[in-house]
Amino acid sequence: MVTSRRTADSETQPVSLRRRGPVLERAILDAALEQLSTVGWSGLTMEGVAAGAQTGKAAVYRRWASKEDLVADALMSGLPDLDQDTDYGSVREDLYQLCRRIRDAMFSRPGFALRSVLHECDHVAAERFHGLILQQVAEPSARRFNDVVRRGIERGDVRPDAVSTLICDVVPGLMMYRSKVCGSEFPDDDLARMVDEVMVPLLRPRSR
């Protein structure tokens, strides 16, 4: 059977995806996160994002005037929601599950993307993304730690004066040190040890 050249070419050429509105925007934002997590801030280009989303560069520029605008929206839409508060019945379990959520956010694709931005972009751009990480990661995490501590005080397994910004910085500080300085992740066993050996002794009433 003879195959026409037009048919053969259609089998080897990628099919153009016709998407509009939120579906196309989601594809572009996902492509931006993928670029950030693989080639970093310096390697990301609007052309590369368009290619990753299988659309034209003009479709990207119609929605985002600059690389900074696109990346900011991609990070805001992709970072996990840390504002959910769940009571697991004890300060130990509350802390452990919260630490797991923060760890998973740090090592998610948007988490890697955010770190590449903060490490590579210039000072002016970094200030913009510094505000984003405060709004999306640092402040929600601090609120959740405060919720855990206050519940522990109400149960009687946390001392009343344990609510402080310094105590809320202990877990994120340890996790960032392991990530940025040591280049290692926090497996569940290490998170459990950090809670049991550092946080619970730090929070428990002094009379115990």
Side-chain angles (χ1 to χ4, degrees):
M1 182 178 74
V2 177
T3 303
S4 71
R5 179 169 182 174
R6 181 175 180 179
T7 302
D9 286 346
S10 67
E11 291 174 353
T12 58
Q13 296 297 322
V15 178
S16 177
L17 301 179
R18 292 186 177 276
R19 296 157 300 172
R20 293 183 175 86
V23 175
L24 177 57
E25 290 181 3
R26 183 68 262 170
I28 294 170
L29 294 172
D30 286 343
L33 290 174
E34 180 64 23
Q35 286 257 310
L36 284 169
S37 61
T38 53
V39 302
W41 168 264
S42 299
L44 182 144
T45 64
M46 301 292 262
E47 293 83 355
V49 170
Q54 299 183 46
T55 189
K57 185 172 66 173
V60 180
Y61 275 109
R62 275 198 300 271
R63 292 161 174 82
W64 294 277
S66 68
K67 172 177 169 176
E68 289 80 5
D69 291 339
L70 171 59
V71 168
D73 280 355
L75 292 172
M76 289 186 68
S77 69
L79 284 169
D81 181 12
L82 294 175
D83 255 326
Q84 180 183 358
D85 182 34
T86 303
D87 185 350
Y88 291 94
S90 71
V91 68
R92 191 269 178 196
E93 193 62 22
D94 282 354
L95 285 170
Y96 174 65
Q97 296 298 337
L98 178 56
C99 288
R100 291 185 68 204
R101 288 173 59 200
I102 294 173
R103 186 270 316 275
D104 292 346
M106 287 175 59
F107 291 97
S108 65
R109 184 177 65 168
F112 279 115
L114 180 57
R115 290 203 298 278
S116 76
V117 168
L118 294 176
H119 293 167
E120 294 180 43
C121 61
D122 60 41
H123 176 71
V124 175
E127 282 299 314
R128 176 177 185 176
F129 295 115
H130 178 69
L132 188 149
I133 194 173
L134 285 176
Q135 176 185 350
Q136 296 288 109
V137 180
E139 292 173 355
S141 298
R143 286 195 293 270
R144 297 293 73 79
F145 276 112
N146 276 320
D147 291 339
V148 168
V149 170
R150 289 193 177 95
R151 277 200 301 271
I153 293 172
E154 292 171 1
R155 295 190 193 105
D157 53 2
V158 172
R159 69 179 193 276
D161 62 344
V163 179
S164 74
T165 55
L166 185 61
I167 287 178
C168 290
D169 286 344
V170 171
V171 168
L174 286 171
M175 295 177 77
M176 289 301 295
Y177 171 79
R178 285 282 291 271
S179 172
K180 296 182 67 173
V181 178
C182 303
S184 62
E185 299 184 15
F186 250 111
D188 286 352
D189 288 348
D190 283 0
L191 289 178
R193 289 184 58 196
M194 178 176 63
V195 170
D196 292 334
E197 298 176 14
V198 178
M199 292 306 298
V200 170
L202 186 62
L203 294 171
R204 72 162 57 106
R206 293 189 175 92
S207 60
R208 294 186 182 181

